[in-house]
């Protein structure tokens, strides 16, 4: 009996070698579910899959249901997002987005906003310079946290709700206490938690801008690179606390010296 097949539009998030010439691809489906499938012979130069299942690509697939892993039968490239793989800077900026997406999406758990978010992020990141791509990366991570249900509190104290970014509050100090475990910023009058770090007001304001703004606005007015890296360090703290892992792609970004 022939195996049941189904069409799938997805983003390629991760590739894992299997055997001598096969690949396991981790995909973010259009409905937000994670799909892992085998592309047989995809590592052969003559394979039709070799150029259609590159990282960050958006693809239309015909997939056959398998016992443990599904099997890619056909693949059509929708958008290769070539700008993300054209140089090391763009690739390094795009990697944390794919890395986080693969951690947040789950088999059978629909979240269509995740696909729309990262598809838009890839599109904007490839069309701007490296500084803009880095800002889009930080913004997409913050937005993904929000869609996943653990959005950081950047404007208000997580304990009492007092504003920490208003002109009056911010002018009194240069840093704001931030606790990943408790959910975000804390005002001076509230208890300082054991994992609290001091974040410059400027960084917190830019983080709020990245979270609340569209990618179009972010590309037009990207934060300084040093600020984006500070925001990405906060994102790494957030991932460790709320996802229970660390993004190796972010660790590479911090030490690669590309920016």
């Amino acid at each position: 009996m022939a195996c049941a097949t189904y069409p799938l539009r997805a983003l390629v998030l991760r590739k894992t070698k299997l055997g001598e010439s096969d690949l396991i691809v981790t995909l973010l489906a259009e409905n937000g579910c994670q799909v892992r499938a085998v592309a047989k012979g995809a590592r052969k130069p003559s394979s039709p899959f070799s150029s259609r299942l590159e990282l960050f690509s958006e693809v239309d697939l015909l997939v056959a249901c398998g016992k443990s892993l599904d099997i890619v039968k056909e693949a059509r490239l929708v958008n290769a997002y070539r700008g993300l793989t054209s140089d090391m800077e763009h690739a390094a900026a795009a990697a944390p987005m794919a890395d986080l997406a693969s951690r947040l999406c789950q088999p059978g758990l629909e979240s269509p906003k995740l696909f729309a978010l990262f598809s838009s992020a890839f599109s904007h990141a490839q069309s701007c310079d490296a500084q803009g791509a880095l800002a889009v990366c930080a913004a997409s991570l913050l937005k993904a946290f929000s869609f996943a249900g653990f959005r950081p509190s950047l404007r208000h104290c997580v304990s009492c709700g007092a504003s920490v970014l208003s002109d009056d509050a911010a002018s009194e100090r240069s840093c704001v206490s931030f606790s990943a475990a408790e959910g975000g910023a804390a005002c001076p009058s509230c208890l300082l938690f054991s994992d609290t770090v001091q974040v410059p007001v400027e960084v917190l304001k830019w983080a709020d801008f990245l979270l609340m703004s569209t990618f179009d606005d972010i590309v037009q007015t990207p934060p300084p690179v040093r600020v984006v890296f500070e925001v990405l360090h906060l994102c790494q703290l957030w991932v460790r606390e709320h996802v229970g892992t660390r993004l190796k792609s972010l660790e590479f970004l911090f030490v690669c010296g590309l920016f």
Side-chain angles (χ1 to χ4, degrees):
M1 181 180 295
C3 296
T5 60
Y6 60 94
L8 179 70
R9 173 161 291 193
L11 294 172
V12 181
L13 303 179
R14 184 179 296 175
K15 301 194 299 182
T16 306
K17 294 179 181 180
L18 178 66
E20 293 185 358
S21 61
D22 300 342
L23 274 179
I24 298 175
V25 286
T26 301
L27 307 163
L28 174 60
E30 194 170 24
N31 63 3
C33 294
Q34 182 187 108
V35 176
R36 298 181 76 238
V38 176
K40 295 186 176 180
R43 289 159 52 206
K44 295 180 179 178
S46 59
S47 171
F49 296 141
S50 60
S51 61
R52 299 175 188 175
L53 293 175
E54 291 297 327
L55 286 177
F56 317 130
S57 297
E58 185 173 339
V59 291
D60 277 334
L61 305 175
L62 182 65
V63 184
C65 297
K67 292 183 179 180
S68 57
L69 291 172
D70 292 346
I71 302 171
V72 178
K73 292 295 186 180
E74 297 178 11
R76 182 178 70 86
L77 191 62
V78 176
N79 197 326
Y81 297 119
R82 300 288 186 197
L84 297 180
T85 55
S86 61
D87 57 71
M88 281 293 294
E89 289 83 358
H90 280 81
M97 296 190 276
D99 201 355
L100 181 63
S102 69
R103 306 298 178 117
L104 294 182
C105 63
Q106 299 294 326
L109 181 62
E110 295 188 7
S111 181
K113 287 184 177 181
L114 281 181
F115 178 90
L117 169 66
F118 288 108
S119 178
S120 179
F122 288 167
S123 178
H124 283 82
Q126 74 156 354
S127 61
C128 62
D129 60 15
Q131 180 181 350
L134 195 65
V136 169
C137 172
S140 66
L141 300 189
L142 291 169
K143 294 175 189 295
F145 297 150
S146 181
F147 292 158
F150 41 91
R151 171 180 172 176
S153 178
L154 301 173
R155 295 183 178 182
H156 302 281
C157 173
V158 293
S159 291
C160 66
S163 175
V164 295
L165 290 184
S166 65
D167 292 337
D168 292 339
S171 63
E172 296 177 359
R173 58 193 184 280
S174 59
C175 292
V176 174
S177 299
F178 186 91
S179 170
E182 296 299 327
C187 69
S189 60
C190 291
L191 176 66
L192 296 180
F193 308 104
S194 59
D195 71 328
T196 296
V197 295
Q198 295 298 308
V199 180
V201 170
E202 176 193 20
V203 172
L204 214 57
K205 285 185 175 181
W206 274 113
D208 184 66
F209 168 78
L210 293 172
L211 175 61
M212 303 304 295
S213 301
T214 64
F215 288 130
D216 287 332
D217 291 339
I218 292 166
V219 169
Q220 291 176 7
T221 315
V225 171
R226 61 173 180 80
V227 172
V228 177
F229 272 101
E230 291 288 345
V231 174
L232 289 174
H233 277 288
L234 289 182
C235 290
Q236 187 72 298
L237 290 176
W238 205 256
V239 169
R240 288 178 178 175
E241 183 63 38
H242 297 279
V243 184
T245 186
R246 63 185 179 89
L247 301 183
K248 292 183 180 179
S249 52
L250 267 185
E251 297 291 345
F252 171 78
L253 198 57
F254 296 150
V255 300
C256 66
L258 292 173
F259 295 91

